[in-house]
């Protein structure tokens, strides 16, 4: 398997005490370099998303508001809030545009058969950003920009978005609600932010709500009963992952109990769907994960699985 890794030096900026900070990607890059995994991946720099790409999923008035906030923040020499706990300034908005553009570039690489799959090591995350509002650390909806790129540029008619994260992907649901071409499978901790689509979801959304303290065993049941029948019936021509690692038991944000090996299993689930229906085409996009060492360990295993390299270190919870 040929796996592309998309990132950018700009994601190392905005070093502050916010949970979504550059240490997340610095820890990952250190681990990949120490293991030599970075030399086995095809590495590309993210490119800024164009206005056209952003307007495919966000309202023009919303993009203008973000630009005004970023300019005001720089004039006042401080970060402002685009939404509660979602800081913005010019550097953050530049990084967000690169993050969204990075996913669009990953789609280009996969659709042009320059790689089998791609992982976007990007920040800030994006799956909470709705069509006209920022939320939950997210300014632009990165994976939505990628989905729009696949549909508008390459004529992809059926897309699957598998979102495994501590939090539901409200932004992606808001943008693609009731769109029959986009099937969204979302796992998350029940009754935790953002709350919007947990009780009643659009017809193209398959929720897998987990109670605090639950882990992958319960998710396996929901996948078998709810996700897989819908995925097989949808026959996606391209598979996207919103890959959040904050459901890990070591993450400080939530109360789910995933282990390292569970993310490998989820990766193989998605690869299987892509193998059967999408000519192996898969784009994975980093979302949550706020314990840098744990995040780096799990993403490295995720990349091993994407590249078909096997397990190179013993994941937590597996026998040695």
């Amino acid at each position: 398997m040929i796996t592309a890794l998309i990132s950018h030096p700009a994601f190392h900026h905005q070093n502050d005490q916010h949970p979504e900070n550059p240490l997340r990607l610095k820890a990952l890059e250190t681990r990949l370099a120490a293991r030599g995994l970075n030399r086995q991946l095809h590495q590309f720099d993210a490119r800024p998303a164009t206005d056209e790409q952003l307007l495919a999923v966000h309202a023009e008035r919303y993009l203008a508001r973000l630009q005004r906030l970023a300019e005001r923040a720089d004039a006042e020499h401080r970060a402002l809030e685009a939404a509660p706990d979602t800081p913005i300034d010019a550097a953050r908005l530049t990084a967000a545009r690169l993050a969204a553009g990075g996913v669009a570039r990953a789609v280009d690489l996969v659709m042009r058969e320059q790689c089998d799959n791609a992982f976007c090591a990007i920040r800030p995350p994006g799956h909470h950003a709705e069509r006209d509002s920022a939320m939950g650390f997210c300014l632009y909806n990165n994976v939505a920009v990628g989905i729009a790129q696949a549909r508008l540029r390459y004529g992809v008619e059926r897309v699957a978005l598998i979102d495994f994260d501590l939090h539901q992907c409200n932004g992606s649901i808001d943008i693609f609600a009731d769109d029959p071409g986009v099937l969204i499978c979302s796992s998350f901790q029940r009754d935790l932010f953002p709350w919007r689509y947990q009780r009643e979801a659009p017809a193209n959304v398959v929720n897998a709500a987990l109670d605090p303290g639950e882990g992958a065993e319960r998710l396996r049941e929901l996948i078998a009963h709810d996700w897989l029948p819908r995925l097989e019936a949808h026959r996606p021509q391209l598979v996207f992952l919103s890959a959040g690692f904050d459901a890990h038991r070591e993450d400080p944000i939530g109360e789910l109990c995933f282990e390292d090996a569970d993310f490998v299993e989820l990766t193989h689930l998605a690869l299987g769907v892509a193998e059967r229906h999408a000519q192996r085409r898969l784009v994975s996009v980093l979302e949550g994960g706020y314990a840098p060492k744990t995040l780096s360990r799990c993403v490295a295993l995720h990349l091993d699985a994407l590249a078909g390299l096997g397990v190179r270190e013993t994941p937590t919870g597996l026998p040695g």
Side-chain angles (χ1 to χ4, degrees):
M1 297 281 277
I2 299 174
T3 297
L5 176 65
I6 293 91
S7 197
H8 195 279
F11 301 143
H12 286 202
H13 292 256
Q14 311 100 50
N15 193 2
D16 54 30
Q17 300 304 308
H18 194 279
E20 201 295 290
N21 64 62
L23 294 178
R24 303 173 68 226
L25 293 192
K26 289 179 181 178
L28 172 59
E29 291 181 7
T30 298
R31 183 173 292 270
L32 296 186
R35 295 176 55 209
L37 181 56
N38 56 345
R39 295 193 297 272
Q40 301 193 53
L41 305 172
H42 295 246
Q43 298 190 52
F44 298 87
D45 277 347
R47 295 170 178 164
T50 65
D51 289 346
E52 181 181 13
Q53 288 169 328
L54 294 175
L55 284 167
V57 300
H58 289 296
E60 185 173 8
R61 64 182 180 277
Y62 170 62
L63 301 181
R65 174 177 173 267
L66 291 184
Q67 186 62 44
R68 290 195 301 271
L69 280 172
E71 292 171 358
R72 180 182 153 201
D74 274 26
E76 297 180 7
H77 305 289
R78 64 188 181 98
L80 299 177
E81 284 199 331
D85 211 19
T86 306
I88 186 171
D89 56 21
R92 287 177 171 85
L93 197 60
T94 294
R97 188 177 280 262
L98 282 163
V103 183
R105 187 170 194 190
V107 170
D108 290 340
L109 293 168
V110 170
M111 295 304 299
R112 294 171 184 171
E113 299 183 350
Q114 294 175 269
C115 61
D116 295 299
N117 56 57
F119 179 73
C120 303
I122 57 176
R123 56 176 295 269
H127 69 160
H128 295 310
E130 299 186 349
R131 183 170 294 277
D132 59 1
S133 61
M135 194 180 301
F137 312 163
C138 304
L139 299 173
Y140 301 136
N141 194 307
N142 307 318
V143 75
V145 168
I147 291 171
Q149 177 83 349
R151 302 173 87 188
L152 295 173
R153 177 165 292 187
Y154 299 100
V156 175
E157 296 178 349
R158 298 183 308 280
V159 168
L161 170 57
I162 299 172
D163 185 299
F164 56 87
D165 192 274
L166 179 67
H167 307 96
Q168 189 192 50
C169 55
N170 64 289
S172 303
I173 295 171
D174 177 75
I175 291 167
F176 297 113
D178 292 316
D179 186 328
V182 181
L183 176 65
I184 300 175
C185 298
S186 177
S187 65
F188 53 89
Q189 181 176 319
R190 190 190 309 274
D191 296 330
L192 192 68
F193 172 92
W195 305 291
R196 289 192 189 277
Y197 300 102
Q198 293 191 21
R199 301 299 180 188
E200 295 184 10
N204 63 322
V205 176
V206 189
N207 281 332
L210 305 176
D211 291 322
E214 289 188 321
E217 183 175 354
R218 174 57 179 155
L219 180 57
R220 287 187 198 100
E221 297 173 358
L222 296 171
I223 287 172
H225 186 268
D226 299 328
W227 283 15
L228 280 175
R230 292 287 298 273
L231 287 164
E232 295 302 315
H234 190 63
R235 296 179 295 111
Q237 298 160 301
L238 180 59
V239 176
F240 285 85
L241 292 179
S242 272
F245 299 89
D246 44 359
H248 198 285
R249 67 167 62 251
E250 296 174 4
D251 197 277
I253 299 292
E255 301 170 273
L256 295 183
C257 294
F258 283 60
E259 305 284 358
D260 296 27
D262 298 327
F263 296 106
V264 177
E265 186 174 344
L266 284 165
T267 307
H268 283 296
L269 162 74
L271 286 169
V273 174
E275 178 80 30
R276 290 190 296 277
H277 302 293
Q279 301 175 47
R280 294 185 171 184
R281 296 184 296 222
L282 182 149
V283 174
S284 180
V285 180
L286 180 62
E287 300 287 359
Y290 304 103
K293 289 184 179 179
T294 304
L295 174 66
S296 69
R297 197 173 66 234
C298 292
V299 171
L301 292 169
H302 179 61
L303 285 166
D304 273 340
L306 290 176
L309 298 175
V311 178
R312 293 165 157 255
E313 56 191 61
T314 303
T316 303
L318 291 183

